Amino acid sequence: MDLWVTEYQTPSLGFSCRITETLKVEQTQFQHLAVVETEQFGKMLLLDGMVMTTDADEYVYHEMITMIALNSHPHPQKVLIIGGGDGGALREAVNHPLVEKCTLVEIDDRVIEASRQYFPQLSCSFTDPKAVVVVEDGIKFVRERKNEFDIIIVDSTEPVGPAVALFSADFYQECFAALKDDGMLVVQSESPFFNADVIKSAYKGIKQSFPITKLYLASIPTYPSGLWSFTIGSKKHDPEKPINKKDLNLKYYNESIHLSCFKLPNFVSNIIKED
Ligand code: SAM
């Protein structure tokens, strides 16, 4: 039988992969969760029909959402990840030599469980001595913390369901308060081709609180349009400067990528230009 999975990336565009097996389909308390085996990308995790991660290209997203902040902050000892229940960002954070403790706050324990079962390369750090895994709403968790973290990483789903408030200026303000005096916030901010509105509002919202706000890009084949953005807010340190130069032996990130990912095509610079 010829089986395919399709993510409707826009109302007029579908991204389809031939699948060899459906491994899990479940309605959790928060979202529809599926794990399938694809021919092209290996195992794929989908939430509410949207591709979250795949075996073949997960490294780009997970290295890029973590390493820019981890390598431009002089002492990234205490890290907080909101979302990221697959464990990929946690794996990168705990492997960084300067990180002492990384807390992951995921709202849906079924995502953590699915990753444990089907994505050993992502979930391998849940039991790391530097890792603390909390199942709770990230918004509530951040609201109750003050002046505690060097870096906060928001590895969220698209701005639907429980993730809507993770894209609000109020939440960024609460992240600012939960960070130490020289802290940094990184959020995934979607595709510049298809989600200019999300980028605009994330950038504007972060800029309201953080004196330094920048956007950077990475190529991720299974995400809508293949070009993905991240927005970073910093209280003090320039995120464009890679100051921790240890060779981390990664697959996508290196010093040249760190320097070049902030160079934006004109149409992307225009998205974040002041009105
Ligand atoms: N890399 C992904 C992407 O951009 O497609 C994100 C993957 S990660 C699995 C996103 C996670 O954020 C999901 O597991 C979801 O349950 C979690 N999440 C959504 N809203 C949340 C909230 N308010 N607090 C904590 N976690 C949340």
Side-chain angles (χ1 to χ4, degrees):
M1 211 184 345
D2 202 21
L3 290 174
W4 292 72
V5 66
T6 300
E7 172 184 350
Y8 294 98
Q9 296 187 339
T10 76
S12 326
L13 173 68
F15 170 74
S16 295
C17 291
R18 193 198 300 274
I19 62 173
T20 52
E21 209 180 341
T22 302
L23 298 163
K24 191 181 192 68
V25 178
E26 180 184 345
Q27 182 61 48
T28 76
Q29 193 191 337
F30 299 98
Q31 52 217 340
H32 183 270
L33 184 159
V35 180
V36 294
E37 183 76 50
T38 70
E39 278 185 5
Q40 189 69 46
F41 295 107
K43 288 195 189 66
M44 175 184 276
L45 170 69
L46 298 110
L47 293 177
D48 288 336
M50 290 175 273
V51 177
M52 290 295 118
T53 197
T54 79
D55 281 340
D57 67 348
E58 58 83 9
Y59 61 92
V60 186
Y61 178 85
H62 294 127
E63 291 178 16
M64 289 303 281
I65 201 169
T66 52
M67 286 305 150
I68 300 297
L70 292 176
N71 273 353
S72 56
H73 192 293
H75 47 84
Q77 288 157 353
K78 278 193 85 180
V79 178
L80 171 66
I81 298 171
I82 301 295
D86 51 67
L90 178 70
R91 176 194 65 200
E92 298 304 333
V94 300
N95 283 337
H96 194 284
L98 299 179
V99 172
E100 292 175 357
K101 183 179 172 191
C102 182
T103 306
L104 178 127
V105 182
E106 163 62 56
I107 202 167
D108 192 344
D109 63 340
R110 301 306 298 159
V111 176
I112 296 174
E113 195 43 47
S115 186
R116 277 209 175 99
Q117 198 174 352
Y118 295 108
F119 295 91
Q121 84 197 49
L122 296 176
S123 56
C124 54
S125 299
F126 287 142
T127 52
D128 190 283
K130 291 184 188 177
V132 177
V133 178
V134 179
V135 176
E136 193 181 312
D137 186 343
I139 294 154
K140 180 171 175 287
F141 186 93
V142 167
R143 198 171 290 145
E144 289 162 1
R145 262 79 194 170
K146 301 284 172 260
N147 196 26
E148 199 174 319
F149 298 100
D150 297 303
I151 292 174
I152 299 179
I153 294 167
V154 184
D155 181 4
S156 67
T157 33
E158 283 62 21
V160 287
V164 171
L166 295 177
F167 287 82
S168 69
D170 287 351
F171 175 66
Y172 303 141
Q173 172 67 53
E174 276 159 357
C175 288
F176 186 92
L179 284 164
K180 292 184 190 161
D181 286 348
D182 62 348
M184 285 185 187
L185 166 70
V186 187
V187 310
Q188 73 89 2
S189 45
E190 311 272 304
S191 159
F193 285 105
F194 297 162
N195 314 104
D197 50 337
V198 175
I199 296 179
K200 212 183 234 311
S201 95
Y203 189 87
K204 210 171 151 196
I206 292 175
K207 203 160 182 253
Q208 277 175 28
S209 299
F210 289 82
I212 304 168
T213 305
K214 295 193 176 177
L215 188 86
Y216 63 93
L217 300 172
S219 295
I220 307 176
T222 59
Y223 283 0
S225 85
L227 185 67
W228 211 243
S229 77
F230 302 86
T231 306
I232 189 160
S234 176
K235 292 191 183 186
K236 183 173 172 193
H237 310 291
D238 183 356
E240 279 195 58
K241 294 207 176 104
I243 53 174
N244 305 324
K245 294 191 188 218
K246 281 209 164 44
D247 182 9
L248 295 159
N249 199 17
L250 298 170
K251 282 169 86 176
Y252 188 90
Y253 173 88
N254 57 37
E255 199 181 335
S256 306
I257 290 287
H258 193 133
L259 295 168
S260 62
C261 68
F262 288 93
K263 309 285 178 230
L264 304 178
N266 292 345
F267 84 97
V268 184
S269 307
N270 284 336
I271 296 173
I272 55 173
K273 239 186 215 148
E274 304 286 337
D275 296 322

